Amino acid sequence: MSLPSIPTIALEKIDFLPPDRVTDDCSVLTLKSLVLEPMLRWLDGEIRPGLFAKWRLDDSGCRWQLHLPQGKAFHDGTPVLAQHAAEFITRILDSRDMFGMPWSYARYLAGAQITADGPTLTIETPKPFPDLPEILSEFYLPRMDAAGRPVLGTGPWQVEDFTAGQQVLLRRREDGRQLRFVAMPLAEDRLAALQAGQVQAATHMERLEHILRGIDGFAWQEQTSTLSVMAYMNGFEGAFTDPNARLAANLALDRQRLAEEVMGGLAQPSDTIVSPWHFGHEAGGLSPLRYDPEEARRLLALSEGPREVVLRSPTYMPEGAPEIARFMAEAWNAIGFETRVEIAEDRPQYARDIGEKRMGDAAIFDSSPHSTFRVLDDKISSLSRAVWWQGVSDAQVDAGFDAARHLTDTTERATAYGRLLRRLQAAPPWAYLFHPVLCLAHVPALQGLSLDHKGILRIA
């Protein structure tokens, strides 16, 4: 099958979002990664150069200096200054997420002094903050075009034509090669367009209603995501205030069967709060979480809490959540819980409910940050008590995190985080489920496409 002069790729959405909007949406991040550059680049738990070519933390652990390479310019020729980055970060600190909730970045950088001098950005924090590069890897610096759109970047591809929500035409600056991206929200529409020859590649094929593991005549790629699908467990009241009940709920789950029967094989069982590609996971040396219903029954018998459990679930995000909830309820009931599933139809309100601790006894959700620090600070630490923390306190975890987050030696910090990840496997605050497997289909003639662990489409 020959390629058209301008190949077309179908994404779920086409958008660059306002400059102060940080996102974990794979379609948006694909476009941002081609046209813009992150301030630093995250790759499977390691930090690499991005917009800034060099960075250094001083001996105090509080003063970061980041340096732009010589000649760095936006696509319209405007030189990039560190001041642009300083102003961009300041705007983000005052912004809110897609659900109208405040970002955690303002808490991370509370009291920080952010200054710029030509090509050098300096960030000074009141306490050591060695995980800051992971935060900066989430920030993509744009410049507004004449129409007020954040589409001028410093990346290898330049926007030639853009209709928000519909399509974007990109040109590779090095060789003039062009690609068109179109928005197709439904996976079934992306599949039909691919088979009809209207597009030459389609992402997120794992979201088809009828699961596929390949398409005849097309290349097929699968990549496990850093996203963690899990269920928060209520540590404020009810059955899961007891650590024995929380561990029992985890041991009751046959994650491999969940991955195969509910997710059609497009899932990798979780073993702790983060994925195998997060910072510190390798150092943790974790074994897979076991399925042990007999031990689960024994632990539950030790708990004096109630057996009645309300398990809340959205209809999507994560995909297949209602089916996951039914699987969990069956497993929990088999060891002695009495589980009632509640389905929430309004996904944004569901997220607000969880943030405001209206979650029932457990609530299916997903955890998207690729920063181990962020997951610990936003969702686990009872010292931070951030918006996604659900009341489970563990003095050993709190003390370990407070010490680990200030270690400036990368190896020592990875080792310390690894110990925390092992502790959180043994004493879980969540019901751990799986990491989704993402799927890409394309015509064989379209070469150089790949998915990374964050679900971003990379183009060689």
Side-chain angles (χ1 to χ4, degrees), residues 6 16 31 35 75-76 145 149 151-153 156-163 167-174 176-181:
I6 303 178
F16 287 90
L31 298 178
V35 175
H75 293 155
D76 65 353
D145 69 359
R149 305 173 302 179
V151 297
L152 296 175
W157 295 78
Q158 181 171 335
V159 173
E160 296 285 283
D161 183 54
F162 173 50
T163 305
Q167 65 85 35
V168 62
L169 176 64
L170 302 185
R171 175 176 61 83
R172 194 167 185 262
R173 292 167 62 80
E174 184 178 280
R177 181 160 52 110
Q178 292 183 306
L179 282 175
R180 187 179 304 280
F181 294 82

Side-chain angles (χ1 to χ4, degrees), residues 61-64 108-113 123-129 132:
C62 299
R63 189 171 190 265
W64 282 99
Y108 306 151
L109 291 171
Q113 299 296 314
I123 301 177
E124 289 193 68
T125 54
K127 294 181 179 180
F129 192 6
L132 180 61

Side-chain angles (χ1 to χ4, degrees), residues 207 227-231 263 312-325 347 350 363-367 433-434 436:
R207 295 183 180 174
L227 183 78
S228 294
V229 175
M230 47 71 164
M263 303 307 297
R312 297 194 67 202
S313 169
T315 55
Y316 67 98
M317 287 181 64
E319 304 307 314
E323 291 76 21
I324 295 167
R347 183 56 175 80
Y350 179 77
I364 294 175
F365 216 67
D366 54 37
S367 178
L433 299 174
F434 60 84

Side-chain angles (χ1 to χ4, degrees), residues 226-283:
T226 56
L227 183 78
S228 294
V229 175
M230 47 71 164
Y232 285 119
M233 291 194 284
N234 190 337
F236 293 105
E237 60 183 2
F240 294 130
T241 58
D242 189 316
N244 285 319
R246 295 196 298 272
L247 183 55
N250 274 274
L251 295 177
L253 297 171
D254 186 343
R255 291 166 187 78
Q256 192 59 50
R257 188 165 71 88
L258 170 63
E260 292 169 359
E261 295 183 4
V262 179
M263 303 307 297
L266 294 176
Q268 176 175 320
S270 301
D271 56 24
T272 187
I273 61 166
V274 296
S275 79
W277 302 279
H278 277 69
F279 180 70
H281 188 283
E282 184 177 0

Side-chain angles (χ1 to χ4, degrees), residues 132-144:
L132 180 61
E134 283 196 330
I135 307 305
L136 297 180
S137 74
E138 301 180 31
F139 297 167
Y140 289 77
L141 181 66
R143 176 175 168 79
M144 298 296 191

